[in-house]
Amino acid sequence: MAASRGDGGPAEWAPGPGPEPDPGEEFEVVDRSQLPGPGDLPSAVRRRAAAEGWSAPILTLARRATGNLSASLGSALRAAEGPDSADGAARAASKCQMMEERANLMHMMKLSIKVLLQSALSLGRSLDADHAPLQQFFVVMEHCLKHGLKVKKSFIGQNKSFFGPLELVEKLCPEASDIATSVRNLPELKTAVGRGRAWLYLALMQKKLADYLKVLIDNKHLLSEFYEPEALMMEEEGMVLVGLLVGLNVLDANLCLKGEDLDSQVGVIDFSLYLKDMQDLDGGKEHERITDVLDQKNYVEELNRHLSCTVGDLQTKIDGLEKTNSKLQEELSAATDRIFSLQEEQQQLREQNELIRERSEKSVEITKQDTKVELETYKQTRQGLDKMYSDVWKQLKEEKKVHLELEKELELQIGMKTEMEIAMKLLEKDTHEKQDTLVALRQQLEEVKAINLQMFHKVQDTESSLQQKDEVIASFEEKISQIMSSMKQMEERLQHSERARQGAEERGRQLQRELGGRSGVLQEQLSQLQGQCSSLEKELKSEKEQRQALQRELQCEKDTSSLLRAELQQVDGLKRELRALQDEKAELQKVCDEQEQALQEMGLHLSQSKLKMEDIKEVNKALKGHTWLKDDEATHCKQCEKEFSISRRKHHCRNCGHIFCNTCSSSELALPSYPRPVRVCDSCHSLLLQRCSSTGS
């Protein structure tokens, strides 16, 4: 489908089969006849690069592309002229046409990328939107994305836009969400073609155009909704396209989307840009320089990525170190506060130690003075004590003899005492156990009494409720009997009224048969009979209503009677429980009586054991005596409280064991533990005499 321009320019053609393309989808193909010949070549090239010849490889690529495009154009025209050809030939022709279009687009993409890279390296600056090779690259990229695109029909018309596949990138790659949102938010863009062009601009500026298209090509099952199977994006040329676009990551593009009319731009390929001067591409030195620069830039970008990663790691480490530093500072402040408090405590302890040291030194001086005074008194008393020592030694020998006799008697008393203590302990254990059992039995008695009271109250409540329910049941039974009698009367009335109605009907029929001619009289009688029948029917209706009401009341009474029967059953169950509880009460009463008898017997045994214990204690007191005080422990007489001296000697009371002077322990008395009368204090003497007199009486 070719369209010629009015100014005699080149023809315009859109690749791919299908309906006629939109105006925004056209691109220009330069005809071979319009290319400069060998004679006109220097003048044509002089306007662009001032050189002598053409670049052979680029010229051959351009010629091959134009030849392929013209061949595909001819095949498309032949397919349009012969619609009656076979389907197989049409499919083969369409496949061949799609293959030729893919090859042409790939050649044009290679040329556009190569020219774009060369121009960028020669200029040595960032590319703007006005840069011609960059504009031609976007045109070729747009045609590649439109190749084999399916047409979507709607009620407005046909829609053929490449922005639909690009929207899938947002779902497959979350990094592309920013591009999609910014494209949608641009107010100048009103068509899908303009949004797709803006998306390509932003992806190139991000240097991720190849990555996003690779994600699309890896998910061909999603692209099949938008592209034909023979489309460039669905075939192997798609991966080649991605590989070509990777080289554009070295470019720095600065494209401003505001003010750009992306909706109405016409995508026309200008082949004149790709016809270069021989001197610009003479030899492979410049190509080697380009590859070296590209390698260096890739290396620098990799270094930047690694450095950014290391910077992020170092930043996280710095944050962690700052946190730990803040924690350590807090701990240090707490430690310094603790050190200050400990220093204050240490100062206070030093002051206390100095006070204690001063007090101890004063006390030591006082004790030294006291010891000096005591030494002087000791030297004075030593002389008198030496004289007394001989006398005391003699007395000591006599007392040793007496002491040995007393030790023998003590051993006997100790044996008796141990036996009595064992017997006392056994009796105390028995009494404690019996007291515990008494307490437990009393608690059980109290619990049984409380349970009996509760059961008695429950029995009284159930009996009162039973009486009330019996009265209610009797009243309900009376009501039921009355209702049944009234029901019987109503049924009799109904039967009587039905019989009367049947008799009246029979009479009416007989009268109609017999007195056919006497119609007037009979009509009056019939009217009277009809009135009677209507009255009877009214009575019947009223009786039926009364009967229904009585049936309802009877149903209610039956429900109440069923409830009362259920309650009666519950009352019977309560009576059974009451009988069982009464049986338990009787058994517990028996147990309680037995326990009371046992308690009484144990009380008698306890009283007897207590009497025995008192007797044993009295005997033990008489036998064991009191503790025998040592001579060093007593310094004063127990009774007169006078201090002992050389003239006032110490004497033990053989009954209580305390030490008395000679005047307070001059009396002697015969004790059961001693065979002869021994020294006893005055208080023990009077006490023992009273006991002897009480026992004798």
Side-chain angles (χ1 to χ4, degrees):
M1 298 182 186
S4 60
R5 291 192 177 184
D7 55 354
E12 294 177 358
W13 175 77
E20 291 183 0
D22 296 335
E25 298 178 356
E26 295 176 357
F27 64 92
E28 184 178 359
V29 178
V30 180
D31 195 6
R32 259 189 208 175
S33 60
Q34 294 179 358
L35 289 172
D40 301 327
L41 192 60
S43 61
V45 175
R46 204 173 290 118
R47 286 177 290 186
R48 284 196 177 269
E52 294 180 9
W54 298 102
S55 175
I58 296 172
L59 184 60
T60 55
L61 282 171
R63 286 177 179 175
R64 193 183 299 166
T66 54
N68 289 329
L69 286 171
S70 62
S72 62
L73 181 61
S75 63
L77 289 170
R78 283 195 299 274
E81 288 172 0
D84 297 332
S85 61
D87 293 335
R91 288 175 186 171
S94 64
K95 284 183 181 178
C96 292
Q97 182 182 355
M98 295 288 279
M99 288 174 65
E100 289 173 358
E101 288 171 1
R102 289 200 302 270
N104 291 333
L105 288 171
M106 289 305 298
H107 290 313
M108 293 309 302
M109 180 57 72
K110 289 176 184 177
L111 282 171
S112 64
I113 291 171
K114 192 171 184 180
V115 171
L116 181 61
L117 290 171
Q118 287 176 359
S119 63
L121 289 171
S122 62
L123 292 171
R125 58 181 176 83
S126 61
L127 302 178
D128 298 326
D130 298 327
H131 192 55
L134 185 61
Q135 291 177 356
Q136 287 299 308
F137 164 76
F138 282 119
V139 172
V140 176
M141 189 69 208
E142 182 178 345
H143 283 291
C144 290
L145 291 173
K146 285 181 180 179
H147 183 260
L149 195 65
K150 291 180 181 179
V151 179
K152 291 186 178 180
K153 294 182 180 180
S154 63
F155 64 93
I156 299 169
Q158 294 179 350
N159 184 15
K160 188 177 181 182
S161 173
F162 63 93
F163 185 62
L166 297 178
E167 284 181 325
L168 293 174
V169 180
E170 183 181 1
K171 298 177 182 177
L172 299 172
C173 188
E175 297 174 0
S177 59
D178 296 333
I179 296 175
T181 52
S182 59
V183 166
R184 291 191 192 99
N185 294 329
L186 285 171
E188 296 89 1
L189 303 177
K190 297 179 181 179
T191 61
V193 176
R195 293 191 188 95
R197 290 167 179 168
W199 193 92
L200 290 173
Y201 281 19
L202 292 172
L204 184 66
M205 282 194 286
Q206 280 190 355
K207 297 183 181 181
K208 290 187 178 179
L209 183 59
D211 297 334
Y212 292 154
L213 290 179
K214 186 179 184 301
V215 171
L216 273 178
I217 290 166
D218 290 337
N219 294 278
K220 288 182 180 179
H221 62 282
L222 297 174
L223 286 175
S224 60
E225 295 179 5
F226 300 93
Y227 288 102
E228 296 291 340
E230 294 83 14
L232 187 142
M233 295 293 289
M234 299 294 289
E235 294 293 334
E236 294 178 357
E237 285 82 353
M239 291 303 295
V240 177
L241 178 64
V242 171
L244 292 172
L245 293 173
V246 172
L248 297 179
N249 293 337
V250 300
L251 297 179
D252 295 324
N254 186 10
L255 307 175
C256 183
L257 298 177
K258 291 182 180 180
E260 288 283 333
D261 189 9
L262 299 175
D263 293 326
S264 61
Q265 285 183 2
V266 178
V268 178
I269 300 173
D270 188 6
F271 287 100
S272 61
L273 289 171
Y274 308 116
L275 302 174
K276 297 293 181 181
D277 191 7
M278 283 289 291
Q279 292 178 356
D280 295 335
L281 298 172
D282 190 11
K285 294 181 180 179
E286 191 171 355
H287 186 268
E288 290 177 358
R289 290 175 190 170
I290 292 166
T291 55
D292 294 337
V293 170
L294 289 173
D295 293 337
Q296 289 174 2
K297 186 158 188 181
N298 290 327
Y299 177 69
V300 170
E301 285 180 351
E302 286 294 326
L303 282 175
N304 286 330
R305 286 177 188 171
H306 287 297
L307 287 171
S308 63
C309 294
T310 53
V311 165
D313 296 335
L314 289 170
Q315 189 66 34
T316 54
K317 288 179 181 178
I318 287 164
D319 294 335
L321 289 170
E322 285 178 353
K323 290 178 182 177
T324 52
N325 192 9
S326 61
K327 289 180 181 177
L328 289 170
Q329 285 178 355
E330 291 175 357
E331 291 176 358
L332 196 144
S333 61
T336 51
D337 296 335
R338 181 68 178 164
I339 287 164
F340 289 142
S341 62
L342 289 170
Q343 286 177 355
E344 291 176 356
E345 290 178 359
Q346 188 179 7
Q347 189 66 30
Q348 292 175 0
L349 290 169
R350 283 177 181 174
E351 292 175 357
Q352 290 176 2
N353 282 328
E354 290 177 356
L355 292 170
I356 291 163
R357 192 179 294 166
E358 291 175 357
R359 290 175 184 173
S360 62
E361 287 176 355
K362 290 178 182 178
S363 62
V364 166
E365 290 176 357
I366 292 164
T367 50
K368 282 181 180 178
Q369 292 176 0
D370 294 335
T371 50
K372 286 179 182 178
V373 173
E374 286 177 357
L375 279 169
E376 290 175 356
T377 53
Y378 178 74
K379 287 177 181 178
Q380 290 175 1
T381 55
R382 180 71 180 275
Q383 295 174 357
L385 288 169
D386 290 335
K387 293 177 182 178
M388 291 175 66
Y389 181 73
S390 58
D391 299 331
V392 170
W393 183 254
K394 292 176 183 177
Q395 290 179 1
L396 201 147
K397 286 180 180 178
E398 293 176 357
E399 286 180 357
K400 277 183 179 178
K401 292 177 182 178
V402 174
H403 186 67
L404 290 169
E405 293 175 356
L406 288 171
E407 282 180 352
K408 290 177 182 177
E409 291 177 358
L410 267 172
E411 287 175 356
L412 293 170
Q413 287 181 2
I414 287 163
M416 293 288 290
K417 183 181 176 182
T418 53
E419 290 175 359
M420 292 298 292
E421 284 177 353
I422 292 163
M424 287 285 289
K425 286 178 181 177
L426 292 170
L427 286 169
E428 285 176 355
K429 285 181 182 178
D430 293 334
T431 52
H432 286 306
E433 290 175 356
K434 289 174 181 177
Q435 285 176 358
D436 294 335
T437 51
L438 279 169
V439 170
L441 289 168
R442 284 173 185 169
Q443 289 178 356
Q444 290 177 0
L445 275 171
E446 288 175 356
E447 290 175 356
V448 169
K449 286 177 182 178
I451 292 163
N452 288 330
L453 285 170
Q454 290 177 0
M455 295 304 299
F456 181 70
H457 290 308
K458 285 182 180 178
V459 168
Q460 286 181 350
D461 295 335
T462 51
E463 287 177 354
S464 61
S465 63
L466 276 170
Q467 288 175 1
Q468 292 175 0
K469 288 174 182 177
D470 290 332
E471 291 173 358
V472 172
I473 289 163
S475 63
F476 281 136
E477 287 176 353
E478 289 175 0
K479 286 182 182 180
I480 290 163
S481 61
Q482 290 174 3
I483 290 162
M484 292 296 289
S485 61
S486 61
M487 287 286 289
K488 288 177 182 178
Q489 290 175 3
M490 293 294 291
E491 287 176 356
E492 288 174 358
R493 285 179 186 176
L494 276 168
Q495 290 174 2
H496 183 68
S497 61
E498 285 177 357
R499 288 170 187 170
R501 186 174 60 77
Q502 289 174 0
E505 287 177 355
E506 288 175 359
R507 287 172 190 172
R509 289 171 186 171
Q510 289 174 3
L511 287 169
Q512 282 177 2
R513 290 171 187 173
E514 292 175 357
L515 303 171
R518 297 167 66 185
S519 62
V521 178
L522 289 171
Q523 283 178 359
E524 291 177 358
Q525 289 178 358
L526 277 169
S527 63
Q528 290 176 1
L529 288 169
Q530 284 176 359
Q532 289 177 2
C533 284
S534 63
S535 63
L536 287 169
E537 284 177 356
K538 288 177 181 178
E539 289 178 358
L540 273 168
K541 286 180 181 178
S542 63
E543 285 177 357
K544 282 181 181 178
E545 289 175 356
Q546 289 177 0
R547 185 177 178 183
Q548 288 176 359
L550 289 169
Q551 283 179 354
R552 289 170 188 165
E553 290 179 358
L554 194 140
Q555 188 66 33
C556 294
E557 296 294 334
K558 283 180 181 177
D559 294 335
T560 52
S561 64
S562 62
L563 291 170
L564 290 168
R565 282 172 189 165
E567 289 178 354
L568 278 169
Q569 289 177 359
Q570 291 178 359
V571 168
D572 292 333
L574 289 169
K575 282 181 179 178
R576 290 170 192 165
E577 290 179 358
L578 196 142
R579 287 172 188 168
L581 290 169
Q582 284 177 352
D583 295 336
E584 288 180 0
K585 182 185 174 184
E587 291 176 358
L588 290 169
Q589 191 69 36
K590 288 179 183 178
V591 173
C592 183
D593 295 335
E594 291 175 358
Q595 288 175 354
E596 284 180 352
Q597 289 178 1
L599 283 169
Q600 289 176 359
E601 291 175 358
M602 287 179 74
L604 291 170
H605 286 301
L606 280 170
S607 61
Q608 291 175 3
S609 62
K610 280 182 181 179
L611 292 171
K612 287 179 182 178
M613 285 286 293
E614 288 176 357
D615 296 337
I616 289 163
K617 282 179 182 178
E618 287 178 357
V619 172
N620 193 14
K621 282 179 184 178
L623 287 171
K624 73 179 180 179
H626 298 281
T627 56
W628 191 268
L629 287 177
K630 294 180 180 179
D631 294 336
D632 299 334
E633 292 178 358
T635 56
H636 296 79
C637 178
K638 178 73 175 177
Q639 190 170 352
C640 63
E641 294 183 354
K642 290 181 180 179
E643 190 177 0
F644 292 116
S645 62
I646 298 167
S647 59
R648 188 176 287 106
R649 293 174 60 195
K650 300 175 183 178
H651 296 282
H652 280 88
C653 175
R654 298 295 187 270
N655 187 31
C656 62
H658 292 289
I659 297 171
F660 298 90
C661 61
N662 191 18
T663 55
C664 296
S665 61
S666 59
S667 56
E668 292 182 352
L669 196 67
L671 295 174
S673 58
Y674 292 97
R676 58 183 181 179
V678 290
R679 187 186 289 272
V680 181
C681 64
D682 295 340
S683 59
C684 291
H685 187 264
S686 60
L687 234 165
L688 291 169
L689 286 174
Q690 286 177 2
R691 281 186 185 174
C692 289
S693 62
S694 62
T695 53
S697 62

